[in-house]
Amino acid sequence: MRIVVLPGDGIGPEIAAAASSVLRAASGRYQLNIELEEHAVGHASLQQFGATVRPGLLEIVRSAGGLILGPTATADFKDESSGEVNPSKYFRKSLDLFANLRPSRTYPGLRNRFGVFDLVVVRENTEGFYADRNMEKGNSELLVTPDVVISLRRITRHCCERIAHAACRLAMNRRKHLTIVHKANVLKIGDGMFLEVCRETAGAYPLLAVDDLLVDAMMAHVVRQPDRFDVIVATNMFGDILSDLTAELSGSLGLGGSLNVGANFAMAQAAHGSAPDIAGRDIANPISLILSTALLLAWHGERCGDARYETAARAIENAVAAAMQSGRATRDVGGGLGTAATAQAIVEILQSDKAIAAAAR
Ligand code: NAD
């Protein structure tokens, strides 16, 4: 399996190096024969090639078995016509990675003020309030006069159906509970359709318990009682905001792993941004990208029917939990290590027989 690694900006290179070292260790331990191929993206690419995503990179990525994208400084990239494309948008849209799976769970030994929970936010990834995804050409934010802006949101039945199916399928493999998050009381037509399509789709999964909540109320419910949720499906922007919250509730935004999934390709990507406030200081938590990488392995294993990848993914998750439980992690999760040392601790646990036994269970 050849995996392309694009480290990105800010803390991206630090956490991408950490995730790569864990992946190499898992590959060695489980004979996965994974080959990592690194390319520049974001500011590094802009400097070198005059574009945040250089010509030809998409073809290189397409021909690989998966992609690991580090966070990029999207706020800096303003003018697409000058090569300043948002790499995250670019790969999600070009590869039609419509489902963004963002799991959050608490861990033994890690302070949690909101009780034990384990949930997944399933976020639509290709339209919605993200104006840069909605049009064939250009952007759906319009400057009408210097003082008037119109931002258009696109919602399509097709995208609602496919994200609803992705969420239902995931819920069927978990605790069989789906919560639809929306704002259909105000966005009556767009979120009205999203809600209706999600309910209709869930009807084909009779064993699922289905409920729905308004997105504003959801912010209170998920803080008050996160353990009442299993799989949560939401449109693009609501899912993005909600999943940063659930990652932080689990202990830190630095635990927010995610996988962007399409019909034939998947991209591992942390839920958070490039964190310029802590970049270059060896203090960023690499676990978000390490867990994202585990999700990528599990996806690949399921797709090609090779159990070794799923075993390796579980072993990485177990090693991450063990590292945090023993305090061998970054400060945001109560540990005393830097980014690189956290990755090294996870590698050492991964290589020990205890983690292997736990993964095999
Ligand atoms: P951010 O998500 O980068 O950071 C928010 C806060 O969380 C900061 O205090 C940061 O230090 C902390 N944090 C984030 N990741 C962490 C980690 N792994 N370990 C420990 N702490 C961590 O949000 P921001 O600062 O608003 O955005 C910075 C840049 O990232 C902006 O240019 C933004 O547009 C971009 N961004 C990119 C992506 C992406 O590439 N997918 C996503 C969101 C934001």
Side-chain angles (χ1 to χ4, degrees), residues 11 71-75 88 253-254 269 272-278 284-285 288 332:
I11 61 170
T72 54
T74 43
S88 176
L253 184 51
Q269 186 185 27
H272 55 73
S274 58
D277 54 337
I278 57 168
N285 191 340
S288 50
D332 57 312

Side-chain angles (χ1 to χ4, degrees), residues 49-131:
F49 304 107
T52 51
V53 180
R54 73 171 162 88
L57 187 55
L58 181 61
E59 285 62 43
I60 292 171
V61 167
R62 260 194 228 281
S63 68
L67 170 62
I68 299 174
L69 177 63
T72 54
T74 43
D76 295 352
F77 306 140
K78 301 208 163 65
D79 184 5
E80 284 208 1
S81 62
S82 308
E84 296 177 7
V85 170
N86 168 2
S88 176
K89 180 263 329 213
Y90 179 82
F91 289 109
R92 287 174 185 172
K93 198 170 162 180
S94 308
L95 299 167
D96 200 21
L97 306 176
F98 64 88
N100 189 197
L101 314 180
R102 295 186 157 190
S104 284
R105 54 161 287 206
T106 47
Y107 291 87
L110 190 63
R111 184 181 72 120
N112 74 75
R113 283 177 290 160
F114 306 93
V116 171
F117 70 89
D118 180 348
L119 57 80
V120 184
V121 175
V122 177
R123 162 198 179 195
E124 203 291 321
N125 230 0
T126 52
E127 58 177 17
F129 276 126
Y130 278 70

Side-chain angles (χ1 to χ4, degrees), residues 11 15 69-72 74 88 92 100-104 121 123 125 130 236-237 239-248 250 252-260 267-275 285-293 295:
I11 61 170
I15 64 171
L69 177 63
T72 54
T74 43
S88 176
R92 287 174 185 172
N100 189 197
L101 314 180
R102 295 186 157 190
S104 284
V121 175
R123 162 198 179 195
N125 230 0
Y130 278 70
N236 200 341
M237 184 78 81
D240 189 22
I241 296 167
L242 175 61
S243 56
D244 266 31
L245 175 63
T246 52
E248 189 66 27
S250 79
S252 169
L253 184 51
L255 298 179
S258 98
L259 191 69
N260 301 271
M267 170 171 90
Q269 186 185 27
H272 55 73
S274 58
N285 191 340
I287 288 175
S288 50
L289 200 56
I290 291 169
L291 290 175
S292 307
T293 303
L295 290 170

Side-chain angles (χ1 to χ4, degrees), residues 95-301:
L95 299 167
D96 200 21
L97 306 176
F98 64 88
N100 189 197
L101 314 180
R102 295 186 157 190
S104 284
R105 54 161 287 206
T106 47
Y107 291 87
L110 190 63
R111 184 181 72 120
N112 74 75
R113 283 177 290 160
F114 306 93
V116 171
F117 70 89
D118 180 348
L119 57 80
V120 184
V121 175
V122 177
R123 162 198 179 195
E124 203 291 321
N125 230 0
T126 52
E127 58 177 17
F129 276 126
Y130 278 70
D132 58 359
R133 328 257 135 124
N134 288 336
M135 314 292 269
E136 181 63 28
K137 205 166 182 187
N139 192 302
S140 65
E141 272 206 313
L142 310 166
L143 189 62
V144 181
T145 75
D147 302 312
V148 178
V149 179
I150 294 178
S151 303
L152 296 172
R153 182 179 79 139
R154 189 184 71 175
I155 298 288
T156 59
R157 189 170 292 278
H158 168 64
C159 290
C160 294
E161 274 169 6
R162 62 185 186 171
I163 197 66
H165 272 298
C168 290
R169 276 196 299 270
L170 181 64
M172 286 302 294
N173 286 327
R174 289 175 47 97
R175 301 194 305 277
K176 300 184 174 53
H177 176 197
L178 178 73
T179 303
I180 307 159
V181 167
H182 60 91
K183 190 68 183 165
N185 59 333
V186 172
L187 298 164
K188 289 183 197 287
I189 305 175
D191 268 25
M193 183 164 78
F194 175 72
L195 177 59
E196 178 199 305
V197 171
C198 285
R199 280 191 185 138
E200 273 171 19
T201 305
Y205 302 80
L207 296 179
L208 275 190
V210 182
D211 51 23
D212 69 273
L213 282 168
L214 294 174
V215 65
D216 41 351
M218 179 65 180
M219 298 299 134
H221 285 293
V222 79
V223 172
R224 194 183 295 161
Q225 205 189 341
D227 70 344
R228 68 179 265 205
F229 299 104
D230 176 19
V231 173
I232 302 162
V233 65
T235 50
N236 200 341
M237 184 78 81
F238 295 162
D240 189 22
I241 296 167
L242 175 61
S243 56
D244 266 31
L245 175 63
T246 52
E248 189 66 27
L249 292 179
S250 79
S252 169
L253 184 51
L255 298 179
S258 98
L259 191 69
N260 301 271
V261 187
N264 299 306
F265 199 85
M267 170 171 90
Q269 186 185 27
H272 55 73
S274 58
D277 54 337
I278 57 168
R281 292 162 56 196
D282 192 38
I283 58 173
N285 191 340
I287 288 175
S288 50
L289 200 56
I290 291 169
L291 290 175
S292 307
T293 303
L295 290 170
L296 179 61
L297 291 186
W299 171 84
H300 179 74

